[in-house]
Structures are given as structure tokens and as C-alpha cells.
Amino acid sequence: MITYYTKLAFLSLWKTRYMSLLAVIVIAVGIAATMTTYTINHMMTKDPLPSKSDSVFLVRLNNWSPEAAYRNRNEENPPIYMSVQDAVNLINHNEAQAHIPIAGFKDMLKLPEQSAVDAKMTFVRSSTTDFFSSFEVPFLYGSSWPKSSDDSGEQVVVISKKLNAELFDGQNSVGRVVQLGEHQYTVVGVLDDWAILPRFYGESMRAFKAPRDIFIPFQTQLNLELWSSNVQAFECWKDPENASVKALWASECVWVFFWVQLNNELEKQEYMDFLQSYVEQQKALGRFQRPTLNKLQSPTEYLKERRAFSTDSEIAVWLSICFFALCLLNAMSIIMTKFQGKAGEVALRRAVGASSLDLVHQYTIETGAIGLFGGILGLVFTQICLFLSSQLYTHLSKDIMTMSGELMASTVLLSILSSLVFGMFPIVKAINVQPATQLKSL
Amino acid sequence: MKDLLPIIKSLKSNYTAALLFILQVAITFTILVNAIYLAFDKREFIARASGLDEQNVFYVAANLPVEEAAQPALLDQDLANIRAFPGVENASVSSGIPLSGWGRLVEVAVNPDTKYDTFSGYYGGDLNLLKAFGLELVAGSEFSPSAELSVRTEGYRNAIDIMVTKALARSLFSEQWEQIVGKTIYINNLPQRVVGVIDTLQAAWPSWVVVEHAVLAPVKEADSIVHYVVKTVPGQQDDILTQTLAYLMSLHGRKVDNFETFTEVKSRAYSAENAASKTLFGVITGLLIVTALGIYGQSRYSIVKRTKLIGIRRAMGASRGQIIRYFVLENVVLCLVGILIGVCAAIVLNNVFSNAFELGTIPLSYLFYGSICTIILGQVAVLYPAIRAAQLSPAIATRTV
């Protein structure tokens, strides 16, 4: 029976093809608007590291001036980053599962055999090997550097797939050498495609940009005294002793984001206790003269505090949901018009014995088909809109404009469901005709 | 107007279609008003003046590839050479570039013992910076040549004379802002004398609350990377940029870090707002098309359904104009009811938005113009079906009785 109804439904769709097409297009436009804005908003606010969101934390210590609170706020809040000495100390104490300092600099990058003219100014990220394991970074060739490189500050690099394609034509470049500024580094690993959104670990202003293309051990940056004052945001309440980089490393200037991995509540508690004892120990040495204010912050909490999420995308979602409702109402009136012309057919079928339930079945298949086509067309429109958005939103990473399979399936489902709901009323109205009066006019 | 009663009566007999129509108009109106408001809000944000001569200013960030002690001399030499290019109106060095995200902020206080009254952006450069940016002085005078200093970094600690923007002066001295000239104020708790007030100069961060606050000081910073600011005569910017880059690169060891025209800086600074406002205009266009289609389809449907009725009216002596008037009036009535609901819905939605997202409330004029636009949209969409209806021959009434 279902196949018969399906056949009838498609026949009827074909008979009123212009109206059906109009309904499909209207639904598709609504779906496209909603799903485009929803996708962008979803990608911007989603959990960047679902498997680790409860176990990665930003460590914040209050090493600020005895005279004034950090940034002079009424409600005191510790700096978002920490000083080099604290980062090094926390790594050496080794109390957490993983220690991930986020630092960096910029320098001219080239191959040793290339001339200086070909060198490109490149932003370098410096961290530890834990960065790759904790943030689940995929590798194409090689692997992260060993822990010993972190300790000794070996001159090794991990490069992105993109950079590998530029420098080494995408070949396995493990063991090759690159030159950054005056120093040479051996490639130990090449990353696979990797996009982390929002990129929570660094400056919140750049949370929707792609990660940097080259990574070196944090200790290497410290040992080689690599510092670019105009790249790295840094804040000092007390000047370093002199203008040298070494003095900056030893100063109270804060600029290193410091993340740790703590796998459960217990470990978190223990780490808080450890931080407490660490700060007390440092207090005894004359540092940390403000009230102790240690904080462990999850990525989402940190991004929220820094207001990394623009509310624009959320407003857009709400507006487009209203727009979708409008499109559905529009589709509803089109479907109603369609069914209005069917009064005679309904009467005839009722008269020859079809129950109203049978008719509901048949018409539901028809509106469902409109929803299905609307959803599929909507998906196509959504992809077009996302492509246009990726051209328009140049300040956002292209990876935001991608739809997951789940999202695509739910798009089509949403379309079918909503057209069924909004088609219900026209159907009920259509089958409520009096067979007798309609038959008379046939 | 005597059509009004029959219109309302006929609506009662066909209330579902009418209700659908009203709902559509109401939703359209709600989104339309809110989207237009948001779009114009963004536009206004983008259109704020930076204070600079935006079309004719560019900057180049480069290093000073000599010994630390020789850097100030090289800086002066570079500036003198750039200024000598024909077509360069002025050139200077700056410790920050407005709206580029790169600059410094300082705390400003009127009294030495308060920590700060407000925050401000800070630009340090040579005496020409005011002119190289193309700023306008509204009170006080320019820096005296003796005020110029040269330091390595953090020039705001060394400044003696400064200029402030009118917005900053206002926030410190409210309406008596002109009195700030000659006064000593405290920048990061250090006393500095205000010699002039700049009309407008924005800080480095476009979405900062106090973006209109800026302090300008005649303190050059010969740091590892310096930012040369060049103002050209109109139309010669591209040539001069090429010349400047060629000149800078002619020195061995020179690295050019970055260069941008101020127009580029501004479009980068507002790329998010720009994209958002374009998206909103896209939404508005889509909305209007869908609604117009909807109104057209519905009017057409209601007219087709009433073919016989129209035929009878024509046969009874109604003119074509009367038939058109009937449908147009019906459309207006439905639109008005829709708008009435829409106004309430728009205000509610706007309230929800302004509570949740820190937005302002829609001015009443938007509601007014929105209503007019919606009615016009309805009229345009109904016109063709109504004219078609009027073309119906009276004979149609006799055919299918």
C-alpha cells in the first residue's frame, strides 16, 4: 500500500510541479539560512577538545605588584599568562600529567641552502612535547620530539603539513634541516591536517585563526634567548633588571600561557594544593606579595572570560530561525493552495471507500517528499552559503565553514519534520471536505 | 472605503488564509526591523572616523640593522630620506598604528594620587607624527621642537609634553575640556603637560570601550622594529609605497616586517563587522524576496478562488478600478494587522536581544519606516494579481453557475 501511496504522491507532485517546486525552494532557502548560521555558530562555540575538556586547565598565578592589582581591576583576577621562571619551575616540579607552556616568537625561516632573500617571516610556537599528546595533534610523518629534547632544549622542530608542502614539496622531511634566524633545527615530525577550533590555548583574539606552522621546544627558545617584543603580548609591573633577554626571562614579566593536564577531580585538587605550597614557598623568597589567588581554568571558561565568542553569530542564528519559520509558513500556504484544488479528488476517493486515515497517509508522504527535496536542496544551498561566507569572513579560519556528516543528516531530518508538521494543517483541512457536496460539482 | 465592511466579512469566512498572511507579515516585519537595525548599527561602527587622513597614509614596519647606539641616527636618516621623495607630504615614526591591534595603552589620571581615571591609547613619534597621521588640532598648539626626545622603548615614561584627544579631555574635564591645555595630567602616574587637543584619534583596538582616547607624545622609539608612517599627496600612495620599500631594502640586513595602507588596516580591523553587516543585508534581501513571493502567491490564490465573485461584481456594474481597489485595500488591512502584531513582536525580540547581547533598543523611527516598507512590499506584490483580477470578463460569472 505504501508503494501505491508513494506513487500517488509523486504523481500529485508532478501534477502541481510548479507549486511543489516553489514549496521546495522556499523550504530550501529557509533551511540554508538556518543551517549556515547554525554551522558557523556551532563551529565557533563548540568544545575544541571534547575528550579533554574536563582535563586541560590554564594555570593562573597572582605574581602581580604589591601596590596594585593586575590591570587595576576592582575584582582582582590573576594574569592570564605567567612569568618564565614560574613556567620553568612548574615544569620542573612535574606535578601534573602534562605541562604545556604556550610561548613563541617570530623569525626568518628558510632552508639552509636557500639565500636570505627567500627567507619568510614566520611565527613560531614554542611548547613542550606534551602539547602534541594533550591536544591530540595528528602526525603525518615522524612524531613529536622526545621528552629529553624538552629538558635539554634541543634544536628540533615539528612543522605543519602546509609548511612541509612549501619547503619540502610534501615529502617525508624527517631528518631534514630548516633555518630559523641564525639557528638550524632538525625536523622530527610533520603534522597532518589539524584544525582546533576555537584555538583556545593562546591569545583569545586569535582563537579563530589557524594554528602556527612551526613548533620548537620551549626550553630551546629560552636557551637561545629568542624574543620578539612586537609579537608576544607581555605585561610587566616591574622592569627587568636590564634590557637583555636573559633579564626578561628572570623578571616578573608575564607572557607564557601555561596549561596542564589533570585527569580527574582528585588530581585537580592535588594540583591546587601543590600550587598553594609552591606560591607559599615563593612568598618565602620574597615573590608573590599579593593575596594568593591561584586558578585552574578550563578552555571554555577561559574563552568566556576573554569574550572570545562574538555574539553576532548567535544573533544571526536567532534571526535565521525566525526566517525559517517564515519560510515554513509560506510553504504551508503553498501546500494549502495545492490541496485546495484536490477537494474533488478527496471527495471521490472518500466516496469509493478510502478512509480519511488512508488519505492522511498519502498526503503525508507527499508533504514529506517536499520536505525531503527541500532538505536536500537546502543542503546544496547551505554549502554555497558556507563557501560564500568563507570568502566574506576572511578573519575566520576556513575550517569554521565546514559541516559535519551529523549536521548534514540532521538538516535533512529537520526539513522533513518541519514540513510534516506545517503540512499537517493543510492536510486536515483538505480531507475535511464533504464528499457529497464536492461530488455534485464534479 | 465602503469596501471595508465586505472585506472584513469575507476575511471572517476565510480566516485561515488571512491568518497565515498576517503571521507572515508579522514575522517579516519583526526580522526586517531587527536585521536592518543591526546592519546599520554595524555600518555606523565601521564608519567611525579614525582621525587619520585615511586615504593617504600607509605604514611600513622595518628593523634598524645597526648597533644599538647607532639606531636613533639611522632612524632619523631613514625619515629624512623618505620625506625627500617627491609626493611625500610627511613621514614619521610611531610606536603604534591606530586600529591595527598593535599599540600601547596607558593609565590616565588628573591627580597624582589616584591610580587612574581612565585608560587611553598611546602613540609616540617625532614632531611630525601629528601631520603624518593627518590629525586635526582643535585647541592648544603643536609641540615645540625642544620637546622632542629619543629613547629605546616605552617612551611614555619619558614624555614631557603630550597631546590628548578631545574625547579623552572630555572624559577628564567634561564640558570644560579646553581647559586641559597647559594642565599637567598623570600618565601611568608620571606628570606630563598637555599642550594640545586633537579632534579625533582612535586607539589601536577597534572594539575597545575607550577607543576614542589617545595620547600623542613627541618621543621617538628606536626599537628593534620601528613603524614608519608616511602621508602622501592624494593618488601617489602606491608609487611612494614602492619607492619606500625599495629604499628600505637597499640597506644590507634590513627586514621589512609588514606594510599596509591605512585603508587596509581599517578594513582588516572591521572585517568581522563588515562581514556581519553584509550577511545581514543578504538576510534582508532573502527575506523580502520570500515574503513578496508569499504575498503574491496568496493573493493570486485568493483571487483565483473568487473568480466567480469577481465576475458577478463586474456584471453588476463594478468598474475595473473598483476591483483593483478591493484587493489592494484587503492587502492593506491584512498588512496593517500583521504590522501591529509585528511591532509588538519586534519590540519583544529586540528586548530579548538587548538583554542577552548588550545591544541598544530600536529607535521608533525604524518601526515607522519598517511599517511603510512592509506596506509598500505588500502593495507591490498584490498589484499584478489585482490587475489580472480586474481583467476578468463579466461573462465569466454566467459560465459556471
Side-chain angles (χ1 to χ4, degrees), chain A residues 166-185:
Chain A
E166 274 169 34
L167 290 177
F168 302 107
D169 296 326
Q171 308 278 311
N172 183 351
S173 59
V174 173
R176 299 281 294 270
V177 173
V178 294
Q179 181 152 359
L180 255 176
E182 290 146 23
H183 304 283
Q184 298 202 339
Y185 300 80

Side-chain angles (χ1 to χ4, degrees), chain A residues 398-417:
Chain A
K398 299 272 176 276
D399 298 305
I400 289 176
M401 314 295 169
T402 49
M403 247 180 144
S404 65
E406 279 164 45
L407 218 50
M408 287 194 197
S410 37
T411 307
V412 178
L413 215 64
L414 172 75
S415 166
I416 295 177
L417 268 178

Side-chain angles (χ1 to χ4, degrees), chain B residues 43-336:
Chain B
R43 282 261 157 259
E44 246 169 60
F45 186 73
I46 297 168
R48 294 179 310 183
S50 62
L52 270 65
D53 183 359
E54 297 179 358
Q55 305 301 319
N56 302 314
V57 174
F58 70 84
Y59 81 88
V60 179
N63 66 342
L64 296 169
V66 286
E67 295 269 304
E68 224 176 283
Q71 280 177 343
L74 179 63
L75 177 70
D76 288 339
Q77 189 196 327
D78 281 347
L79 284 176
N81 286 333
I82 294 172
R83 260 181 226 129
F85 294 145
V88 172
E89 281 195 355
N90 224 317
S92 181
V93 60
S94 176
S95 67
I97 304 294
L99 303 182
S100 70
W102 185 77
R104 191 171 279 129
L105 92 147
V106 289
E107 291 163 5
V108 185
V110 180
N111 299 310
D113 36 331
T114 32
K115 259 187 293 185
Y116 68 97
D117 292 324
T118 184
F119 294 98
S120 167
Y122 168 86
Y123 302 103
D126 69 0
L127 290 173
N128 295 300
L129 186 56
L130 184 80
K131 291 203 180 107
F133 272 159
L135 304 174
E136 196 190 327
L137 208 58
V138 286
S141 59
E142 289 184 26
F143 294 120
S144 65
S146 60
E148 194 183 83
L149 297 167
S150 185
V151 296
R152 189 165 157 71
T153 58
E154 303 186 320
Y156 61 90
R157 299 182 185 197
N158 306 75
I160 302 163
D161 285 356
I162 54 169
M163 288 183 192
V164 297
T165 56
K166 198 159 118 186
L168 177 56
R170 253 182 218 278
S171 91
L172 296 175
F173 292 89
S174 58
E175 282 316 303
Q176 292 85 44
W177 58 271
E178 279 180 74
Q179 293 179 6
I180 201 171
V181 177
K183 279 212 169 72
T184 297
I185 62 169
Y186 293 83
I187 304 295
N188 284 7
N189 292 345
L190 298 166
Q192 288 167 13
R193 200 168 65 97
V194 179
V195 298
V197 179
I198 299 163
D199 188 30
T200 325
L201 172 60
Q202 289 187 319
W205 310 277
S207 46
W208 200 26
V209 223
V210 288
V211 65
E212 305 292 340
H213 289 187
V215 170
L216 192 74
V219 184
K220 286 183 282 184
E221 296 181 19
D223 201 358
S224 50
I225 299 271
V226 290
H227 286 62
Y228 294 119
V229 177
V230 182
K231 180 167 173 262
T232 64
V233 292
Q236 294 205 30
Q237 193 175 47
D238 294 346
D239 294 345
I240 305 234
L241 180 58
T242 329
Q243 273 184 58
T244 309
L245 289 175
Y247 158 72
L248 287 173
M249 290 310 287
S250 65
L251 187 68
H252 178 72
R254 177 89 74 179
K255 289 191 282 193
V256 168
D257 206 47
N258 199 0
F259 58 90
E260 266 176 318
T261 64
F262 192 73
T263 338
E264 285 165 359
V265 172
K266 200 165 175 182
S267 79
R268 183 166 55 87
Y270 292 123
S271 57
E273 284 74 20
N274 226 329
S277 86
K278 275 186 192 151
T279 313
L280 284 169
F281 281 117
V283 167
I284 294 168
T285 318
L287 184 72
L288 293 181
I289 293 174
V290 168
T291 313
L293 271 179
I295 294 178
Y296 170 79
Q298 244 163 4
S299 324
R300 183 99 191 87
Y301 163 65
S302 77
I303 286 166
V304 168
K305 243 179 62 178
R306 282 182 280 186
T307 307
K308 221 187 300 181
L309 193 124
I310 296 163
I312 292 169
R313 282 201 65 197
R314 290 278 285 132
M316 305 280 284
S319 70
R320 287 190 176 155
Q322 275 172 326
I323 301 286
I324 296 180
R325 208 176 318 145
Y326 180 89
F327 287 107
V328 166
L329 194 63
E330 186 188 63
N331 185 275
V332 170
V333 170
L334 289 176
C335 280
L336 279 178

